[in-house]
Amino acid sequence: MNVALVKNETGSALSDSFAIARDRLPGADKVAAAREAAFAAYAQAGLPHRRIEDWKYTDLRALMREVLPLAPAPDAAEFSRAASAAKLHAIEGVRRLVLVDGVFAPKLSELGGLEKGLGIRTLREVLETGDAALQTLLFTPDNANPMVALNSAMMTDGVVIDVADGVVLTQPLQIVHIASGTVPAAMFTRSLLRLGKDAGATLVESYIATEGAKAYQVHDSLIISIGNNSRLDHVRLNEDGRDAFNISSGVVSLGAHAHFNTFGMMSGAGVSRYQATIVFAGEGSRVETNGVNLLNGKQHADTTLFMDHAVPHCDSREIFRAVVDDRAHSVFQGRIIVRPHAQKTDAKMMTRALLLSDDAEADNKPELEIFADDVTCGHGATTGALDESLLFYLRARGLSEKEAQALLIQAFVGEAIESIVNDGLRELAIAAAQRWLEARG
Amino acid sequence: MSLLEVKDLKVRVEEREILHGLSLTVNPGEVHAIMGPNGSGKSTLSHVIAGKPGYEVTGGEILFRGEDLLEMSPDERAAKGVFLAFQYPVEIPGVATMNFLHVALNAQRKARGESQLTTPEFLKKAYAAAASLNIPRDMLKRGVNVGFSGGEKKRNEILQMALFEPAVCILDEMDSGLDIDALRVAADGVNALRSQGRAMVVITHYQRLLNYIVPDFVHVMSKGRVVKSGGKELALELEASGYAQFEDAA
């Protein structure tokens, strides 16, 4: 089949979908114009395919084939199923903000008694009545990445969080994405977190499905702006349904002397890609970005990180671990760029994959582009199986094969999970990893 | 019934036969020393008893309390009471020693249909055993054997022996890499675990260890067979005359 034809087919089907959805999409005038431009950029590129270097290992034309139509607004039954799912995954002491099938659900969210200096609005509200500056911030990402462009065109709802200067939130915030629909559909969400100067916050993002949710597509993005001397701790847990697609993007910008600690775990979804761009815009800042992929069956999970050292004196650390079983496929692409003036940059990236079966696949693509001469940069990548001598030692001490493997897998992902500072959230990630190990049997 | 019976055992590793018909009978309460030069098959014997993969048994059998040991997985053997103290205990980064010991003990207890030890119950037991072996609590919080000295690794093996209370302990070259003080501490630990119902098989190249762990029986291995058996005096005899005579005999 010829590529142009494929592009036309997917493009036109979606054009119809966009045309139909347009009236339901919030925002007029400038917002509508920005959507049109974003959609035009997407329509021209189409779904990314393997001949585009950045998508070499995640060919969405083969894996996703088409973008599903926009999910209908959830009905009472769907909200009720979502409520049960939210309850099941509830985290104690966390302020929950829930999106059901891409629509903000105030009844499932905790909006009362906001801490002083914390503002929470929905994306819909901001696109319809928000100020121009905030709307501009929401359209920060350009349309170069077709999936980000598509998200810009189609975003229907999300959570817009503002933390004022000098405010350090004591209660973590959680954005929960729940898919409940009984028909296959796509949801397009975008959230934003704006952290002022000398501020602090902890944000958790969770992706889950209710029982009976059909094959669905999550198209999400999160825009984060961290002010000078501020700190954000961020944890992302993907436990989407096994036949779900999740294409999410993060766009993060740090001021001076800021600190961003982020951890992501992908154990759900059939096909997922998390692509994040982190830009150092002020000196003296630090980023730790760590992640774990726990995959089996035919799962495909891609983590693509772009660390942009645009200014001097910033540090970044990336620790990534993948555990891949059965016929699953894990992808890690880590690109670090050190711009010409970004002297005294200290950037390190280490990725390791553990293959549990002969058919499992892990692709690691570290890329360093260094244009400054006084920097410390390094990367390492390893791929291997579980160490037989360690397995035998554990079995000689009474652990079954599965128990011995589980203990070694926990240790393998432990280094990445240990980086989560908040005790409760670290426990949460450990529990998610344990659920995956137990499901292995 | 004997505790452990190795009968005419023949073992191959990658097409090469290492054990050519080895027999050994161990009864409860007995301490057997197996001595022999490098390459005589001592470690192969210990690995086959514990169930290490990569060895092909082409003849003979191993019975544990009359049951066919070779049919069991390594973890089943451990739960039944077979313990191998490794010559080179492996390092397992990221697995805290305490957690490992708890998981292992409970896995063995579960296999035997015994109750699981809660964390407080386990800690009490583990701390008592560690104290008797001069193992500081700090060491138990570290990754299994990670950054341990040679002596600490061996003491960690003996700690496991004390906690798991096996019926047969195979000590594979326990003296390798230990100085005389560390050796004495390790041997004291082993001696404290000698009992009427428990047997030990001490595998060693050197007689020195047997000054500290005094055996009831000594077997000399050469080229994959036991070529001579006797009492503890046989070890001293070997010390004087060396292994060369047996290498010729084998």
Side-chain angles (χ1 to χ4, degrees):
Chain A
M1 191 188 301
N2 122 3
V3 176
L5 184 62
V6 174
K7 195 172 86 178
N8 285 341
E9 281 175 358
T10 56
S12 65
L14 192 67
S15 293
D16 296 346
S17 169
F18 181 63
I20 295 165
R22 196 158 26 195
D23 298 339
R24 279 179 56 201
L25 299 175
D29 308 330
K30 272 190 178 171
V31 170
R35 284 187 191 280
E36 291 284 353
F39 190 81
Y42 171 78
Q44 194 178 7
L47 275 177
H49 53 84
R50 65 192 153 81
R51 278 182 297 277
I52 296 173
E53 183 60 23
D54 198 29
W55 294 84
K56 185 171 146 187
Y57 300 111
T58 300
D59 183 340
L60 287 186
R61 286 202 190 159
L63 292 166
M64 187 183 244
R65 290 200 289 275
E66 58 171 353
V67 174
L68 293 171
L70 182 62
D75 60 20
E78 284 160 347
F79 272 124
S80 151
R81 280 204 306 280
S84 320
K87 210 170 161 187
L88 203 65
H89 285 80
I91 311 170
E92 211 178 310
V94 164
R95 180 182 291 279
R96 203 163 64 197
L97 305 162
V98 180
L99 297 159
V100 178
D101 297 337
V103 176
F104 186 72
K107 282 186 183 160
L108 302 184
S109 304
E110 294 157 52
L111 295 166
L114 294 188
E115 289 176 61
K116 193 168 177 287
L118 169 63
I120 297 176
R121 278 177 287 176
T122 66
L123 179 87
R124 173 170 287 273
E125 201 183 323
V126 172
L127 288 178
E128 281 171 349
T129 62
D131 59 79
L134 199 50
Q135 288 179 352
T136 305
L137 195 57
L138 277 168
F139 282 97
T140 302
D142 65 25
N143 294 322
N145 183 309
M147 298 316 284
V148 175
L150 177 65
N151 185 263
S152 296
M154 301 286 283
M155 57 183 173
T156 47
D157 215 343
V159 184
V160 176
I161 302 165
D162 256 307
V163 181
D165 292 352
V167 173
V168 177
L169 298 181
T170 52
Q171 190 185 26
L173 306 168
Q174 183 192 20
I175 301 175
V176 191
H177 297 260
I178 306 177
S180 78
T182 47
V183 291
M187 47 209 89
F188 298 86
T189 46
R190 176 165 293 182
S191 293
L192 183 144
L193 172 61
R194 193 164 52 168
L195 202 54
K197 290 174 193 161
D198 305 302
T202 300
L203 176 68
V204 185
E205 290 181 282
S206 306
Y207 300 84
I208 55 175
T210 67
E211 259 182 59
K214 285 280 178 286
Y216 58 90
Q217 294 179 354
V218 176
H219 298 267
D220 185 38
S221 55
L222 175 66
I223 295 165
I224 293 174
S225 159
I226 305 174
N228 295 348
N229 296 310
S230 291
R231 174 179 178 129
L232 177 65
D233 286 283
H234 174 231
V235 172
R236 198 172 176 280
L237 301 174
N238 183 330
E239 295 187 84
D240 266 319
R242 276 314 181 91
D243 45 7
F245 292 81
N246 184 312
I247 309 294
S248 295
S249 308
V251 179
V252 182
S253 152
L254 287 97
H257 304 285
H259 191 163
F260 180 46
N261 178 293
T262 176
F263 171 87
M265 183 182 285
M266 308 253 216
S267 57
V271 174
S272 64
R273 159 124 159 171
Y274 176 57
Q275 44 184 17
T277 298
I278 300 172
V279 183
F280 287 100
E283 295 188 21
S285 292
R286 180 176 174 87
V287 169
E288 289 116 18
T289 167
N290 303 320
V292 170
N293 277 1
L294 295 169
L295 309 175
N296 59 22
K298 289 177 172 180
Q299 282 180 293
H300 177 109
D302 173 338
T303 301
T304 295
L305 301 176
F306 175 37
M307 191 76 70
D308 189 347
H309 280 272
V311 296
H313 294 285
C314 289
D315 297 349
S316 64
R317 293 288 177 276
E318 295 172 47
I319 299 173
F320 187 78
R321 298 277 183 274
V323 180
V324 197
D325 202 356
D326 304 327
R327 297 172 59 194
H329 185 182
S330 177
V331 178
F332 176 80
Q333 305 187 104
R335 184 167 159 230
I336 299 174
I337 182 163
V338 181
R339 308 257 177 205
H341 302 295
Q343 302 295 3
K344 304 289 179 190
T345 287
D346 182 346
K348 293 194 180 66
M349 170 165 60
M350 182 69 209
T351 164
R352 291 174 64 193
L354 185 58
L355 302 179
L356 299 179
S357 97
D358 292 342
D359 297 322
E361 185 178 339
D363 292 299
N364 289 316
K365 194 173 82 177
E367 284 178 280
L368 289 180
E369 291 173 59
I370 303 171
F371 300 101
D373 54 10
D374 186 11
V375 300
T376 310
C377 292
H379 70 81
T382 66
T383 299
L386 282 171
D387 186 325
E388 290 292 335
S389 66
L390 303 193
L391 279 173
F392 174 63
Y393 187 81
L394 294 174
R395 297 201 66 194
R397 295 301 179 250
L399 278 73
S400 69
E401 191 175 4
K402 288 280 184 189
E403 287 168 336
Q405 288 182 349
L407 199 61
L408 294 178
I409 293 167
Q410 277 172 344
F412 179 78
V413 300
E415 197 191 337
I417 294 180
E418 284 306 310
S419 65
I420 303 172
V421 178
N422 182 297
D423 290 340
L425 297 182
R426 193 171 54 247
E427 292 299 322
L428 194 74
I430 292 170
Q434 263 160 3
R435 276 198 293 281
W436 185 84
L437 286 168
E438 277 158 23
R440 266 189 95 223
Chain B
M1 192 191 293
S2 299
L3 202 50
L4 182 71
E5 266 187 284
V6 181
K7 293 184 188 170
D8 197 27
L9 188 69
K10 290 179 181 152
V11 174
R12 277 177 182 223
V13 177
E14 292 171 357
E15 301 301 303
R16 198 164 75 89
E17 194 169 90
I18 308 285
L19 299 181
H20 312 289
L22 183 141
S23 296
L24 177 72
T25 300
V26 179
N27 293 302
E30 294 176 353
V31 174
H32 291 248
I34 294 182
M35 302 186 68
N38 291 332
S40 58
K42 303 188 302 290
S43 284
T44 297
L45 175 63
S46 72
H47 291 158
V48 173
I49 292 173
K52 186 172 182 174
Y55 296 89
E56 188 195 352
V57 176
T58 54
E61 58 181 352
I62 305 178
L63 301 178
F64 180 74
R65 291 185 171 129
E67 285 186 83
D68 185 355
L69 197 66
L70 295 173
E71 281 297 304
M72 300 178 202
S73 65
D75 40 306
E76 287 172 317
R77 299 178 200 203
K80 293 267 183 193
V82 176
F83 182 88
L84 170 65
F86 283 61
Q87 180 179 4
Y88 302 110
V90 295
E91 297 188 7
I92 315 181
V95 178
T97 304
M98 217 46 171
N99 180 39
F100 155 67
L101 296 173
H102 193 185
V103 169
L105 182 57
N106 272 345
Q108 293 190 21
R109 291 178 65 93
K110 188 177 156 198
R112 292 193 293 261
E114 296 167 9
S115 67
Q116 298 288 284
L117 292 186
T118 63
T119 302
E121 286 168 343
F122 168 76
L123 287 179
K124 200 176 157 199
K125 203 173 149 81
Y127 285 144
S132 71
L133 284 162
N134 272 327
I135 294 175
R137 288 189 183 191
D138 172 57
M139 209 171 109
L140 300 177
K141 289 178 189 155
R142 281 147 62 186
V144 177
N145 294 321
V146 176
F148 288 20
S149 69
E152 286 173 333
K153 284 180 183 170
K154 296 299 165 85
R155 270 188 280 158
N156 190 18
E157 294 291 286
I158 297 161
L159 171 64
Q160 294 171 46
M161 259 166 69
L163 279 175
F164 303 153
E165 303 176 68
V168 172
C169 307
I170 318 285
L171 310 176
D172 189 4
E173 307 271 7
M174 204 190 76
D175 46 341
S176 68
L178 296 194
D179 62 28
I180 198 74
D181 293 324
L183 179 61
R184 194 173 288 139
V185 174
D188 286 348
V190 171
N191 286 327
L193 295 171
R194 288 176 77 153
S195 77
Q196 291 240 311
R198 180 172 298 140
M200 301 206 182
V201 177
V202 182
I203 291 172
T204 181
H205 186 93
Y206 300 105
Q207 189 271 339
R208 186 180 70 161
L209 176 65
L210 305 180
N211 291 334
Y212 299 98
I213 304 173
V214 180
D216 302 304
F217 303 95
V218 174
H219 310 277
V220 181
M221 266 186 84
S222 180
K223 295 180 181 167
R225 284 190 186 88
V226 171
V227 290
K228 188 166 185 181
S229 295
K232 63 185 173 198
E233 64 288 346
L234 181 54
L236 293 168
E237 202 180 296
L238 274 173
E239 180 80 348
S241 58
Y243 289 118
Q245 50 174 326
F246 299 108
E247 299 207 357
D248 296 338

